[in-house]
C-alpha cells in the first residue's frame, strides 16, 4: 500500500492478477504450455457500485470472477478487499471472508442442488455465516424471496418446479441472505428469455438502489450490462482493454474491440439496423494458450498498424476517466482519448 | 403513451408471481410411485421378500430337517409330502432350499453392504479431494480391477480356507474396487456441478459439502450399482459352492445342492438339477430387474420431470410409453400424422405453405398440444423470421415441416404443409427422404453437437451430396471443397480432412451451413443458427447468410428469439407465443407498428432499447407451460391491456392484407388491435 | 496413432508391477504359518515343512521374496508345483491356448448374437423385438453359466445325444471334433456375454440415435440403414468396446467352472486342483497369467477405442 491517495480503499481491487492453467500432455502429464486465461488484470470495484465486465466467451471473465471469489488461486498478482490483501487467505479466515462476496451463476438449474428444497438452499449461507435458529432462518428465507419478488410458498419447492427466471431470482435471494458487500453475477441473464431477462435486470437495478451492494456484472452482451452498470470494463484474451464510465464506453468507445462488439449487436429496428455501419471482425478469438504478440487484438483489428504487431500498447487515461490500451491513442493517427468513431474521417477501416 | 414504464411498478414486488398450480409430489413419494408402476420391479420385490423371510426363519419354516437322510425315500418326485421331492439321500429338497437361502441371502447382504460401506468414503474423498491421494488410490483400484473377478475370488477363498465366512470375505474384496470406482466417478461428476461451486463460494465447510451436497447426488448410482451387485454376489457364492469352496456338505447351499445333483443324478434324475439352478437364476433375475427399475426411476432425467421445456423436442424416440389413438404406421425418422382433415392449399401457391398445423406430444402426464393452428407461408427468395421466447413452439414447428420429430411421443394432429404444391404430410418415408437435404435443408442451433464426431468434415459434406446425386467420390470431394470456400472457411482443402472437434463453434456452424447447401436446396430452415455463437461471430454468420441467400436466391425460415436478428436479416416475421402465431407481416410494418401487445412488449424489453439508467420494460409473469395454457387469449395473464372479454373469448388470428387495409395491415391475434395504439421499435 | 499405442503400452508398466505384487502377496492370505499349511497342515512332517519353507524362501522378508519371484517370473519361471513337481510355466503353456480358445469362442457367440440383437432392439424401442429381447437378455445375464452348461449337457448330450457331454480335442488335430466339443461350453459361457453385450449396445445406440448429429443425418436425407449402420454404430461402438474389455475378465473367470464341468483340460481344472491343495506356486502362476492376458486384451480394447474415437486419435 504505497499509494498516497487519501480516499478510502476500494471495495475490491485486483492488481496484475494472472491465472495460467497448465496444459498437460502425455503419460507423465508433462506441461507443454499454459492457457493464459487471465493475464494481468487491474480492476477496481468501488463500494455500492456496479461494474460491468464484458467480452466474448473465452476472454477470461468467469476465471476473473472465480479468482476474485478465491475459488481458484491466482498464479500471480494481488487481490485486495477493502484495502487488505486477501490473495493468500485460507482456512477459517477465507471462509469468514466469503460472507462478503456472493455469486450468482449463469445456469440457474445447475446452480441449485436438485435434491434439496429451496429453503435448504437458501439456508446454506446463513448456516455458514449467521447465528440464527431454524425459525429465524426460515423467516429470513421467506423475506428474501419476497425481496426478489417471489412468494414464500416456494420455500418447500424443489428446483425443477421453478422456471429459469424464478430460479435465477432465488439464486439472487440466496446470495443476498448474508448481506454481502459484493455480488458477482456471472452471466446471470444469458440463459433467460427476453421477457424474463428484463425482469431480472430490473431486479438488479432495484437491489442496487435499495441495498447498496456492489456488483461485478459479467456478461457477453454490452447492451445488457449498460442498464445496470456505472462502469464497464471490456475484456479480450485475458486482459482488460478498456475500462470507463458506462455511457462513455457504450456511446463513445475508445478501443476498436469495444467498437466492434457494439456494432455486432443487432438493434431491433429494421431501418436502423440496415443502415448502421457494421464492423465485422474477421476470424475467431485466438487461443489464449498462444496469444498474439504485441496488441492481442491485432489479428482481428480493422485499424491495425505495424507497431501493434510487436509492441504491447501502454495504458492511456482519457479525461473522462476511461483507461484504454490501444496504440491509436498514442501513435499513428493519434486519437489521444477521442472515441474510435472519430477515426472514420481519418482512416476508414478496410471493412 | 400506452407503455407502463414506471420503475416502481416494474420492480418485482411480493406476490406478483402466481404460484404454479401443478404441485409435484415429493421426490421420495414419486420414486415409490414410479417403482410401483413397474410390474417387474414389484414382482421382484415380492419374490425377494419371500426368500429373505424364508432365509431368516430357516429351519423354523422348513418342513423337514434339511440334513435328515431317508434312503428309502430317495429321489422322489415332488409330492404332497415332499413339495419339491427328495434328493439321492432322501433329504427333503424344499427344506434344503430354505436353509440354502440363508447362505445366499447372508452372503449377498453382507458382502454388498460391507463393500459399499468401505467404498463410499474412499470414493467420495478420493474423488473430491483429488491430487496425489486420488492418484495412488486409483492406481491400486485399477490394478485390482485388472483381475478376472471370479479367478481372484477363487484364489482368495481357496487360500483363506474353505467356508462361507471366507467366501464372503473374498467376494467383498473383489467388490470394493468396483464400488470405489463408481463412487469416485459420480463424485467427480457432481463436483463439477455449479451447485457444488456455489456451496464452496458460500463458505460451506468441505465436510458439509460432502455430506449434504455430494452424497445425496452420488447415492442414486450407488444404489443402482449395489442392487445389481446383490445378484453378482449370489452368482459368485453359488459358483464357489459348486466348486466346493463355500458351504461344506452335508450343510446345504444352493451351489452345493446343484453340485450334488450334477455329480450324482445327472444321468438318472436330471430334474433335480432344475430346482437349485432355477432358484439361483430367479434370485439373480429379481435383483437385476430391481436394479434396472431403480436405474430408470433414479436417473437424473426422471428426477426433474417437469423440465421438459429444456428437453429437445425431437429427442424422444426412446420414450417407452406407446400411445393409442389414430395412428398411421410410423418409423424412425418420420413424424407420425394423425390428422383427420386435410386443409386446402392457399392460392396462389407459395413455395412453402404451412396450413393450420397442430402438433401434440404424448407425455406421462397426458397429451399436450404444443403447436396450435399455425399457418404461414414462405415465398420464393424470401426470408421469414419465426420469433418467440423459448417454449413457444418454434423448433417443433420447424421440425414438423421436415417431419423430424420423434414419434412417439410427437404427432402431427392437424394441418398440412405444402411444398411446391405437394403435401409433405402425405409423403412416404422414402419420398420425404428424397426431399430432405436436397430441396429442403435445415441448420440446427447447436454447432458443437450437430456434426458427427466420428467422421471427417469432408466425409459429412460428401455424404450430403451422394445421398441425393449419383456422383463419384472425387467429384463429391471437389464440390465439398467449393462449398467450404463458399461459406468462407479458410484453407478448405485442409479442413476436409479434419474432425469436428478440431474446429471452433463458428467454423462448425459454417460447416453445417455448407452441408445444408450441398444440394442447392430451395428452402433452408435455420433453427437459431447463431444463438450459441458470440455476437461477433453471429455478425459474421448473418453477413454470410445474407450474401448467400441473395446469391443463391434461397428461401429461408430463420428461427430466432432475437428481434435484433430478425430486423437484420428477415423480410417478413411471424411472432409466436404459446404455440400460436400472434402477429405476422412484413418486418418493417410489424416492428414500426406492432398490433399485438406481446410484440410490443418484446420490442420494448430488448436490452438494446432504452437509455442507460432507465429500467427496462417488463412483461410480467412467465411463459406458461403448454399444459397450463390459459383460456381466452393465451397472453391475457401477462397483458397490460387485458379486458374481461380477453379472458373468456377465443381470439382468432385476423388475417390482414399486408398493408392494404388501414386497420389490420398484417395478421394479428388480439381483440383490441384496432383500438390500441402500440409503440413500435425506437 | 503410433504414440497412442506406445502410450497405452507404457501405461501398463506401473500397473503390471502393482498387479504382480498383488498376485505375489496372495500367499500372505494363508492363515497361520504358511509353510505348515502348505506342507499339508496338521499331518505335515517336519522335513516337508522345511522343504516347503526353503523352496518358497519363506524365511526371507516379503519384498525380497517378491523380488526373487518377480525376477524369475519375468524370465518365464513360475516355480514348481509343490506336489506334482512339474514346472508351472510349462503346465500353463500347455493349457492356456485351450482356455483362450474357449474364451474366443464364447466371445464370438456373444458378438454374433449380441450385436444384431442390440441393434434390432434399439431400432424400435418398446417394439416387439425390444420387449422380447429385454426379457431374454435380463434372463441371460441372470442364469448362472454353470447351470446353463449342465442343462445344455442334459439336453444335447444326455437326451438328444447330438454332441459330446465333455472332453476336448485340439483344433489342429481335428477341427471338426474341436468344434463339436467347444460348441456347448462356448454357448454356455457366451450366453451371458451376448445378453450383456446386447443390453449395452442397445442403450448406447439409443443414446446415439437421440443425438443432434443423428438428427443432422436424418435432415440430410439419410436412410435408416445409413443412419444406424454408419452414423450410429460407429459412435455406439466406442462405449461398447470398453465393456467388451471388461467382459473378457468375466469370461476368463467363467472358464474355470465351465472347464471343470466339461472336463476340458484348460487352466480351470489345473487352477482348481491347485486351490484345493494349497499349491501356492500354481495359484500364483495361474492368477498371474490370467491377469496378464486380461490386461493385454483390455489394452487392445483401449487401442481400438482410440482408433474409433478421433478425439483421442487426432489431437
Ligand atoms: N479449469 C480450467 N482449466 C483449463 N482451462 C480453463 C479452465 N477454466 C477456464 N479455462 C480457459 O480459460 C479461458 C477463459 O475462460 P473463461 O474465464 O471461462 O472465459 P469467459 O467466462 O470469458 O467465457 C478459456 O480459454 C478456457 O478454456
Ligand atoms: N419431447 C417432448 N415431450 C414433451 N413436450 C415437449 C417435447 N419437446 C418439446 N416439448 C414441448 O414443446 C414446447 C415447444 O417447444 P419448442 O418448439 O422447442 O420451443 P422453442 O423452439 O420455441 O423454444 C415446449 O413447451 C416443450 O415443453
Ligand atoms: S493497438 Fe493496434 S491492433 Fe490493437 S486495438 Fe489498437 S489499433 Fe487495433
Ligand atoms: S386479446 Fe386482450 S389479452 Fe390478448 S393481447 Fe389482446 S388485449 Fe391483450
Ligand atoms: Mg463465462
Ligand atoms: Mg427451439
Amino acid at each position: 500500500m504505497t499509494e498516497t491517495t487519501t480516499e478510502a480503499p476500494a471495495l475490491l481491487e485486483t492488481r496484475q492478477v494472472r491465472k495460467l492453467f497448465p496444459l498437460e500432455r502425455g503419460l507423465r502429464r508433462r506441461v507443454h504450455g499454459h492457457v493464459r486465461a487471465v493475464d494481468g488484470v487491474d480492476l477496481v470495484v468501488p463500494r455500492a457500485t456496479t461494474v460491468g465486465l464484458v467480452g466474448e466467451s473465452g476472454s477470461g471473465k468467469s476465471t476473473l470472477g472465480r479468482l476474485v471469489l478465491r475459488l481458484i488461486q491466482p498464479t500471480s498478482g494481488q487481490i485486495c478487499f477493502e484495502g487488505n490483501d486477501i490473495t493468500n487467505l485460507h482456512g477459517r479466515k477465507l471462509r469468514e471472508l466469503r460472507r462478503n462476496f456472493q455469486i450468482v451463476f449463469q445456469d440457474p438449474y445447475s446452480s441449485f442442488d436438485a435434491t434439496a428444497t429451496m429453503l435448504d438452499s437458501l439456508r446454506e449461507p446463513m448456516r455458514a455465516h449467521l447465528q440464527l435458529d431454524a425459525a429465524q432462518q426460515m423467516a429470513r428465507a421467506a423475506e428474501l424471496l419476497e425481496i426478489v419478488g417471489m412468494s414464500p410458498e416456494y420455500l418447500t419447492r424443489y428446483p425443477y418446479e421453478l422456471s429459469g427466471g424464478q430460479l435465477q431470482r432465488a439464486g439472487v435471494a440466496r446470495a443476498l441472505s448474508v448481506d454481502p458487500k459484493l455480488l458477482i453475477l456471472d452471466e446471470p441473464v444469458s440463459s433467460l428469455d427476453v421477457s424474463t431477462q428484463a425482469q431480472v435486470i430490473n431486479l438488479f437495478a432495484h437491489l442496487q438502489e435499495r441495498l447498496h451492494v456492489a456488483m461485478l456484472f459479467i456478461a457477453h452482451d454490452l447492451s445488457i450490462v449498460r442498464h445496470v452498470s456505472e462502469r464497464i470494463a471490456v475484456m479480450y484474451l485475458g486482459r482488460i482493454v478498456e475500462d470507463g464510465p458506462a455511457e462513455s464506453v457504450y456511446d463513445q468507445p475508445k478501443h476498436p474491440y469495444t467498437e466492434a462488439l457494439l456494432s455486432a449487436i443487432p438493434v431491433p429496428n429494421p431501418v436502423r439496423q440496415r443502415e448502421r455501419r457494421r464492423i465485422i471482425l474477421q476470424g475467431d478469438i485466438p487461443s489464449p494458450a498462444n496469444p498474439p504478440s504485441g496488441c492481442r487484438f491485432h489479428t482481428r483489428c480493422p485499424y491495425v498498424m505495424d507497431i501493434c504487431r510487436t509492441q504491447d500498447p501502454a495504458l492511456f487515461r482519457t479525461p473522462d476517466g476511461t483507461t484504454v490500451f490501444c496504440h491509436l491513442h498514442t501513435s499513428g493517427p493519434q486519437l489521444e482519448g477521442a472515441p474510435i468513431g472519430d477515426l472514420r474521417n481519418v482512416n476508414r477501416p478496410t471493412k | 403513451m400506452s407503455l407502463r414504464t414506471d420503475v416502481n411498478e416494474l420492480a418485482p414486488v411480493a406476490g406478483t408471481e402466481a404460484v404454479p398450480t401443478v404441485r409435484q409430489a415429493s421426490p421420495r413419494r414419486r420414486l415409490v410411485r414410479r417403482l410401483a408402476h413397474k410390474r417387474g420391479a414389484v414382482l421382484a420385490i415380492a419374490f425377494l421378500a419371500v426368500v429373505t423371510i424364508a432365509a431368516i426363519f430357516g429351519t423354523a419354516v422348513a418342513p423337514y430337517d434339511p440334513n435328515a437322510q431317508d434312503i428309502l425315500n430317495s429321489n422322489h418326485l415332488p409330492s404332497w409330502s415332499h413339495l419339491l421331492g427328495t434328493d439321492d439321500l432322501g433329504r427333503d429338497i424344499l427344506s434344503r432350499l430354505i436353509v440354502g437361502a440363508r447362505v445366499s441371502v447372508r452372503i449377498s447382504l453382507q458382502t454388498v453392504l460391507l463393500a459399499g460401506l468401505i467404498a463410499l468414503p474412499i470414493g467420495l474423498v478420493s474423488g473430491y479431494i483429488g491430487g496425489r491421494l486420488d492418484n495412488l488410490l486409483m492406481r491400486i483400484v485399477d490394478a485390482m480391477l485388472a483381475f478376472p473377478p471370479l479367478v481372484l475370488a477363487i484364489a482368495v477363498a481357496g487360500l483363506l480356507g474353505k467356508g462361507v465366512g471366507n467366501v464372503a470375505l473374498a467376494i467383498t474384496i473383489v467388490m470394493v474396487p468396483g464400488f470405489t470406482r463408481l463412487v469416485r466417478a459420480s463424485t467427480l461428476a457432481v463436483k463439477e456441478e455449479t451447485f457444488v461451486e456455489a456451496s464452496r463460494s458460500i463458505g460451506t465447510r468441505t465436510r458439509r459439502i460432502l455430506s449434504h451436497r455430494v452424497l445425496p447426488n452420488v447415492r442414486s448410482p450407488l444404489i443402482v450399482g449395489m442392487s445389481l451387485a446383490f445378484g453378482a454376489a449370489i452368482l459368485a457364492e453359488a459358483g464357489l459352492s459348486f466348486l466346493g469352496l463355500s458351504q461344506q456338505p452335508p450343510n446345504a447351499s444352493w451351489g452345493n445342492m446343484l453340485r450334488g445333483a450334477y455329480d450324482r443324478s445327472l444321468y438318472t434324475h436330471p430334474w433335480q438339477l432344475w430346482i437349485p439352478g432355477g432358484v439361483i437364476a430367479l434370485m439373480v433375475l429379481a435383483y437385476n430387474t430391481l436394479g434396472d427399475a431403480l436405474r430408470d426411476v433414479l436417473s437424473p432425467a426422471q428426477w426433474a420431470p417437469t423440465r421438459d421445456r429444456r428437453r429437445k423436442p425431437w429427442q424422444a424416440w426412446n420414450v417407452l410409453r406407446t400411445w393409442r389413438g389414430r395412428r398411421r404406421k410410423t418409423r424412425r425418422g418420420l413424424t407420425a400424422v394423425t390428422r383427420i382433415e386435410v386443409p386446402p392449399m392457399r392460392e396462389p401457391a407459395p413455395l412453402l405453405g404451412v396450413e393450420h398445423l397442430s402438433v401434440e406430444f404424448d407425455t406421462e402426464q397426458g397429451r399436450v398440444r404444443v403447436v396450435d393452428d399455425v399457418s404461414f407461408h414462405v415465398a420464393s427468395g424470401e426470408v421469414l423470421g419465426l420469433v418467440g421466447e423459448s417454449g413457444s413452439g418454434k423448433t417443433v414447428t420447424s421440425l414438423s415441416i421436415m417431419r423430424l420429430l420423434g414419434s412417439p411421443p410427437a404427432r402431427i394432429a392437424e394441418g398440412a404443409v405444402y411444398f411446391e404444391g405437394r403435401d409433405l404430410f402425405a409423403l412416404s418415408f422414402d419420398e420425404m427422404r428424397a426431399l430432405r437435404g436436397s430441396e429442403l435443408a435445415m441448420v440446427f442451433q447447436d454447432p458443437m453437437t450437430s456434426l458427427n464426431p466420428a467422421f471427417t468434415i469432408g466425409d459429412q459434406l460428401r455424404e450430403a451430396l451422394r445421398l441425393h446425386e449419383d456422383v463419384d467420390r472425387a467429384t463429391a470431394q471437389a464440390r465439398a471443397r467449393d462449398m467450404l470456400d463458399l461459406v468462407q472457411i479458410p484453407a478448405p482443402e485442409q479442413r476436409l480432412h479434419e474432425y469436428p472437434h478440431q474446429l471452433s463453434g463458428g467454423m462448425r456452424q459454417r460447416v453445417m451451413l455448407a452441408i445444408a447447401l450441398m444440394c442447392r436446396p430451395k428452402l433452408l430452415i435455420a433453427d437459431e443458427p447463431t444463438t450459441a455463437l458470440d455476437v461477433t461471430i453471429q455478425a459474421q454468420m448473418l453477413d454470410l447468410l445474407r450474401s448467400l441467400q441473395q446469391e443463391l436466391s434461397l428461401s429461408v425460415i430463420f428461427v430466432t428469439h432475437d428481434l435484433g436478428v430478425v430486423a437484420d436479416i428477415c423480410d417478413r416475421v411471424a411472432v409466436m407465443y404459446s404455440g400460436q402465431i400472434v402477429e405476422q407481416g412484413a418486418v418493417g410494418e410489424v416492428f414500426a407498428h406492432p398490433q399485438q401487445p406481446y410484440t410490443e412488449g418484446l420490442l420494448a424489453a430488448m436490452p438494446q432499447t432504452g437509455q442507460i439508467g432507465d429500467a427496462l420494460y417488463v412483461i410480467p409473469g412467465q411463459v406458461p407451460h403448454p399444459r397450463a395454457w390459459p383460456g381466452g387469449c393465451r397472453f391475457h395473464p401477462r397483458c397490460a391491456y387485458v379486458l374481461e372479454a380477453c379472458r373468456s373469448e377465443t381470439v382468432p388470428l385476423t388475417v390482414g392484407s399486408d398493408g392494404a387495409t388501414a386497420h389490420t395491415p398484417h395478421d394479428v391475434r388480439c381483440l383490441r388491435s384496432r383500438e390500441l395504439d402500440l409503440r413500435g421499435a425506437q | 496413432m503410433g504414440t497412442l499405442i506406445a502410450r497405452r503400452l507404457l501405461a501398463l508398466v506401473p500397473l503390471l508391477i502393482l498387479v504382480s505384487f498383488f498376485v505375489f502377496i496372495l500367499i500372505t492370505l494363508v492363515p497361520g504359518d504358511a509353510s505348515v499349511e502348505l506342507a499339508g497342515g496338521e499331518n505335515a512332517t517336519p522335513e516337508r515343512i522345511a522343504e516347503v519353507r526353503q523352496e518358497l524362501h519363506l524365511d526371507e522378508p516379503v519384498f525380497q521374496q517378491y523380488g526373487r519371484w518377480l525376477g524369475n517370473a519375468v524370465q518365464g519361471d513360475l516355480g514348481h508345483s509343490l506336489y506334482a513337481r512339474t514346472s508351472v510355466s510349462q503346465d500353463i503353456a500347455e493349457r492356456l491356448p485351450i482356455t483362450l480358445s474357449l474364451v474366443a469362442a464364447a466371445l464370438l457367440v456373444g458378438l454374433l448374437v449380441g450385436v444384431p440383437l442390440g441393434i434390432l432392439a434399439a431400432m424400435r424401442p418398446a417394439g416387439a423385438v425390444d420387449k422380447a429381447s429385454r426379457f431374454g437378455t435380463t434372463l441371460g445375464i441372470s442364469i448362472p453359466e454353470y447351470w446353463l452348461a449342465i442343462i445344455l449337457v442334459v439336453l444335447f448330450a444326455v437326451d438328444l445325444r447330438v454332441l459330446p457331454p465333455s472332453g476336448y480335442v485340439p483344433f489342429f488335430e481335428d477341427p471338426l471334433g474341436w468344434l463339436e466339443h467347444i460348441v456347448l461350453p462356448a454357448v454356455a459361457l457366451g450366453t451371458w456375454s451376448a445378453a450383456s453385450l446386447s443390453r449395452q449396445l442397445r442403450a448406447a445406440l439409443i443414446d446415439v440415435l437421440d443425438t443432434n448429429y443423428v438428427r443432422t443425418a436424418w435432415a440430410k436425407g439419410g436412410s435408416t440403414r445409413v443412419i444406424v449402420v454408419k452414423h450410429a454404430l460407429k459412435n455406439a461402438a466406442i462405449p461398447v468396446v470398453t465393456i467388451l474389455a471388461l467382459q473378457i475378465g468375466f469370461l476368463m473367470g467363467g472358464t474355470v467352472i465351465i472347464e471343470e464341468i466339461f472336463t476340458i483340460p484348460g487352466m480351470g481344472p489345473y487352477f482348481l486342483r491347485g486351490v484345493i491343495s494349497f499349491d501356492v506356486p500354481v495359484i500364483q502362476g495361474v492368477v498371474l497369467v490370467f491377469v496378464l492376458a486380461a490386461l493385454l486384451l483390455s489394452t487392445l480394447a483401449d487401442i481400438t477405442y482410440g482408433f474409433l474415437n478421433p478425439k483421442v486419435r487426432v489431437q
Side-chain angles (χ1 to χ4, degrees), chain C residues 20 79 177 195 199 206 270 275 278 298 301:
Chain C
S20 63
R199 282 161 61 97
I206 285 178
Y270 180 63
V275 166
F278 275 111
S298 69

PDB file of all heavy atoms in Angstrom, chain C residues 20 79 177 195 199 206 270 275 278 298 301:
ATOM      1  N   SER C  20       1.392 -57.626 -10.214  1.00  0.00           N
ATOM      2  CA  SER C  20       2.214 -58.781  -9.877  1.00  0.00           C
ATOM      3  C   SER C  20       2.442 -58.827  -8.366  1.00  0.00           C
ATOM      4  O   SER C  20       2.480 -59.894  -7.764  1.00  0.00           O
ATOM      5  CB  SER C  20       3.541 -58.722 -10.626  1.00  0.00           C
ATOM      6  OG  SER C  20       4.256 -57.579 -10.208  1.00  0.00           O
ATOM      7  N   GLY C  79       8.159 -71.197 -11.025  1.00  0.00           N
ATOM      8  CA  GLY C  79       8.381 -72.166  -9.940  1.00  0.00           C
ATOM      9  C   GLY C  79       7.816 -73.531 -10.271  1.00  0.00           C
ATOM     10  O   GLY C  79       7.409 -73.802 -11.408  1.00  0.00           O
ATOM     11  N   GLY C 177     -13.870 -82.026 -34.765  1.00  0.00           N
ATOM     12  CA  GLY C 177     -14.009 -82.544 -33.402  1.00  0.00           C
ATOM     13  C   GLY C 177     -13.898 -81.406 -32.393  1.00  0.00           C
ATOM     14  O   GLY C 177     -14.643 -81.348 -31.408  1.00  0.00           O
ATOM     15  N   ALA C 195     -26.010 -61.566 -23.912  1.00  0.00           N
ATOM     16  CA  ALA C 195     -27.086 -60.813 -23.267  1.00  0.00           C
ATOM     17  C   ALA C 195     -26.570 -59.461 -22.799  1.00  0.00           C
ATOM     18  O   ALA C 195     -27.189 -58.427 -23.052  1.00  0.00           O
ATOM     19  CB  ALA C 195     -27.635 -61.613 -22.087  1.00  0.00           C
ATOM     20  N   ARG C 199     -27.555 -55.687 -24.327  1.00  0.00           N
ATOM     21  CA  ARG C 199     -28.142 -54.626 -23.487  1.00  0.00           C
ATOM     22  C   ARG C 199     -27.319 -53.345 -23.574  1.00  0.00           C
ATOM     23  O   ARG C 199     -27.855 -52.241 -23.717  1.00  0.00           O
ATOM     24  CB  ARG C 199     -28.205 -55.079 -22.031  1.00  0.00           C
ATOM     25  CG  ARG C 199     -29.345 -56.030 -21.742  1.00  0.00           C
ATOM     26  CD  ARG C 199     -29.110 -56.789 -20.455  1.00  0.00           C
ATOM     27  NE  ARG C 199     -28.999 -55.925 -19.302  1.00  0.00           N
ATOM     28  CZ  ARG C 199     -30.003 -55.666 -18.475  1.00  0.00           C
ATOM     29  NH1 ARG C 199     -31.191 -56.198 -18.673  1.00  0.00           N
ATOM     30  NH2 ARG C 199     -29.835 -54.882 -17.428  1.00  0.00           N
ATOM     31  N   ILE C 206     -29.335 -46.294 -28.477  1.00  0.00           N
ATOM     32  CA  ILE C 206     -30.473 -45.406 -28.247  1.00  0.00           C
ATOM     33  C   ILE C 206     -29.983 -44.014 -27.884  1.00  0.00           C
ATOM     34  O   ILE C 206     -30.500 -43.005 -28.367  1.00  0.00           O
ATOM     35  CB  ILE C 206     -31.405 -45.991 -27.169  1.00  0.00           C
ATOM     36  CG1 ILE C 206     -32.194 -47.140 -27.779  1.00  0.00           C
ATOM     37  CG2 ILE C 206     -32.347 -44.935 -26.626  1.00  0.00           C
ATOM     38  CD1 ILE C 206     -33.116 -47.833 -26.831  1.00  0.00           C
ATOM     39  N   TYR C 270      -6.784 -77.200 -13.638  1.00  0.00           N
ATOM     40  CA  TYR C 270      -5.434 -77.099 -13.079  1.00  0.00           C
ATOM     41  C   TYR C 270      -5.433 -76.128 -11.899  1.00  0.00           C
ATOM     42  O   TYR C 270      -4.899 -76.410 -10.828  1.00  0.00           O
ATOM     43  CB  TYR C 270      -4.513 -76.601 -14.198  1.00  0.00           C
ATOM     44  CG  TYR C 270      -3.074 -76.430 -13.811  1.00  0.00           C
ATOM     45  CD1 TYR C 270      -2.305 -77.527 -13.414  1.00  0.00           C
ATOM     46  CD2 TYR C 270      -2.472 -75.178 -13.872  1.00  0.00           C
ATOM     47  CE1 TYR C 270      -0.984 -77.376 -13.075  1.00  0.00           C
ATOM     48  CE2 TYR C 270      -1.144 -75.016 -13.532  1.00  0.00           C
ATOM     49  CZ  TYR C 270      -0.391 -76.115 -13.139  1.00  0.00           C
ATOM     50  OH  TYR C 270       0.917 -75.957 -12.809  1.00  0.00           O
ATOM     51  N   VAL C 275      -5.836 -74.823  -6.038  1.00  0.00           N
ATOM     52  CA  VAL C 275      -6.510 -74.131  -4.933  1.00  0.00           C
ATOM     53  C   VAL C 275      -6.863 -75.120  -3.834  1.00  0.00           C
ATOM     54  O   VAL C 275      -6.615 -74.873  -2.646  1.00  0.00           O
ATOM     55  CB  VAL C 275      -7.777 -73.415  -5.437  1.00  0.00           C
ATOM     56  CG1 VAL C 275      -8.647 -72.994  -4.278  1.00  0.00           C
ATOM     57  CG2 VAL C 275      -7.401 -72.218  -6.284  1.00  0.00           C
ATOM     58  N   PHE C 278      -3.789 -76.118  -1.858  1.00  0.00           N
ATOM     59  CA  PHE C 278      -2.908 -75.056  -1.361  1.00  0.00           C
ATOM     60  C   PHE C 278      -1.590 -75.002  -2.122  1.00  0.00           C
ATOM     61  O   PHE C 278      -0.549 -74.723  -1.543  1.00  0.00           O
ATOM     62  CB  PHE C 278      -2.583 -75.277   0.121  1.00  0.00           C
ATOM     63  CG  PHE C 278      -3.627 -74.726   1.040  1.00  0.00           C
ATOM     64  CD1 PHE C 278      -4.428 -75.580   1.779  1.00  0.00           C
ATOM     65  CD2 PHE C 278      -3.795 -73.359   1.182  1.00  0.00           C
ATOM     66  CE1 PHE C 278      -5.370 -75.078   2.640  1.00  0.00           C
ATOM     67  CE2 PHE C 278      -4.749 -72.870   2.042  1.00  0.00           C
ATOM     68  CZ  PHE C 278      -5.546 -73.726   2.774  1.00  0.00           C
ATOM     69  N   SER C 298      -7.414 -56.006 -22.642  1.00  0.00           N
ATOM     70  CA  SER C 298      -8.121 -54.745 -22.426  1.00  0.00           C
ATOM     71  C   SER C 298      -7.297 -53.576 -22.957  1.00  0.00           C
ATOM     72  O   SER C 298      -7.854 -52.562 -23.365  1.00  0.00           O
ATOM     73  CB  SER C 298      -8.497 -54.561 -20.960  1.00  0.00           C
ATOM     74  OG  SER C 298      -7.355 -54.344 -20.203  1.00  0.00           O
ATOM     75  N   ALA C 301      -8.309 -53.397 -26.377  1.00  0.00           N
ATOM     76  CA  ALA C 301      -9.602 -52.725 -26.487  1.00  0.00           C
ATOM     77  C   ALA C 301      -9.423 -51.214 -26.388  1.00  0.00           C
ATOM     78  O   ALA C 301     -10.055 -50.440 -27.105  1.00  0.00           O
ATOM     79  CB  ALA C 301     -10.542 -53.220 -25.400  1.00  0.00           C
TER      80      ALA C 301
END
